[in-house]
Amino acid sequence: MEATRILIWIYFFLLIFEGALRKWVLPGFATPLLLVRDPVLMAAYSLAVFRGIFPFNLWNSLLLLLAAASFGAALFFGHGNWRIALFGMRCLFFHLPLIFLMGKVFNLKDVLRIGRAYLLLVIPMTALLLLQFYSEADSWANTGLGGEGTSTFSGAEGFNRCSGTFSFGAGLTLFYTLAAAFYLISFSLKTGLSLVARVLVGACIILAMPLCISRSLVLSVFIVLLVSLVVYSRRAFSAQVLPRLVLALAVLSVIVFSTSASQDGLKAFLSRWDSANDAADGGVQTAVVGRITDGFTSVFDVVLDTPELGYGLGLGTTFGAFEYCGVRAFLLGEDEWQRIVREIGPFLGFFYISFRVIFCLILARLSWRALKDDNSAPMIIFSATFLQLINGQTGQATSLGFMVFNTGLCYAALKLPKGARLVEAEEKSPLPFHPDLPVPELGNAAQPS
């Protein structure tokens, strides 16, 4: 399994640095680098099949059937372009089996190792964010894809929304949301970070929230924090973890928000918040809540006007639009559920949506049950990824990558040896994991193996 683990680690690093490759390192290959993780994923799948560890379970079987039906419908009843259909199959189906492969070859110890590397990356990422925040939109730091234009978006108060190492600013929202989850997990599980590193990482996450000028990031981190407080309010954690967590966040917030950088970011964020509320003509309910609910309800506005087998797999992606009519646009809508139903039709579309929703509900149940073993990781990681799993945009490479990888981390974190108690793991010896711990199936993943 070691080679498969290495390939998953490569997938992880490419997810974080894919945009950097496309903007700064190899700008001339920006378009093909959009698929840079796909060969790694194919190698991981092939190796897993060769070694007999690929998870041929019900979930992957359903994905295969849906993929075949959707591909055939696109070719014979939709747009008829095999390249568009192949790209659409890559977005909706090809990456999802990674979730189950990660659950097969990873365990909680692997997840915590990923968490340590992830938290260490927060420090240079925030340094880059600071540089971009105070740089002009056309500066080298804010170069766009292919080394042309800019990767920033309009912010407020003379500051732009930056993108870090990602292609667009949405990548930073996904990055810091998972970072917040791993940071909060570190209060109950051993991540291997020193006290100094943990202080720096916590300060960087808090500083990044206003600098990103993103309402989605603030909402996402709030959800992760709220779920973490509920988890740590349980009797097993409340006496040791909860006081340290509250004190650390309070002290770090006071220190960070006394800096000029955080003041500039906060001023820009509040200005953008007010502008968005005014434009929405409905305040917070329309500007924030409406953005979330629209992603779930807009599909019902188009379902009756959509052909039974849809307009064709992949046509709703920007690649599909460019291949079909030479324009990079969202021909079938930006909302994920709407795009899915219009691409592959109401029957297959709602079946695929139900697949993601049902799996999300099962994962939520298993993550909550894992708390019986004082394992906080699955529930906190779940809080950082459940919205992406249900309704995240698979047509956008970074969003797809984070949705799949985060869900895989949550699934793998469920694996816990019999009798292990993880409370106060930082004050005790390393976790008693066996490297060849067997992987439970999804139906009993929370049960000790």
Side-chain angles (χ1 to χ4, degrees), residues 263-336:
Q263 292 297 319
D264 289 339
L266 188 60
K267 182 170 65 174
F269 175 81
L270 292 176
S271 176
R272 184 169 183 270
W273 178 277
D274 291 338
S275 299
N277 287 348
D278 293 340
D281 193 27
V284 175
Q285 182 175 356
T286 302
V288 179
V289 179
R291 292 180 66 193
I292 298 175
T293 57
D294 286 349
F296 295 96
T297 60
S298 62
V299 61
F300 300 105
D301 297 332
V302 301
V303 65
L304 295 179
D305 299 325
T306 301
E308 294 180 357
L309 295 176
Y311 294 100
L313 184 64
L315 189 62
T317 64
T318 54
F319 171 85
F322 186 80
E323 180 78 13
Y324 191 74
C325 58
V327 177
R328 294 194 181 278
F330 296 101
L331 296 180
L332 305 181
E334 289 190 56
D335 293 330
E336 176 75 353

Side-chain angles (χ1 to χ4, degrees), residues 69-98:
S70 301
F71 190 82
L75 292 185
F76 296 106
F77 303 100
H79 50 66
N81 187 312
W82 67 269
R83 291 183 298 275
I84 297 176
L86 197 62
F87 186 81
M89 190 161 63
R90 174 254 180 197
C91 294
L92 286 185
F93 304 105
F94 178 61
H95 284 246
L96 263 64
L98 178 62

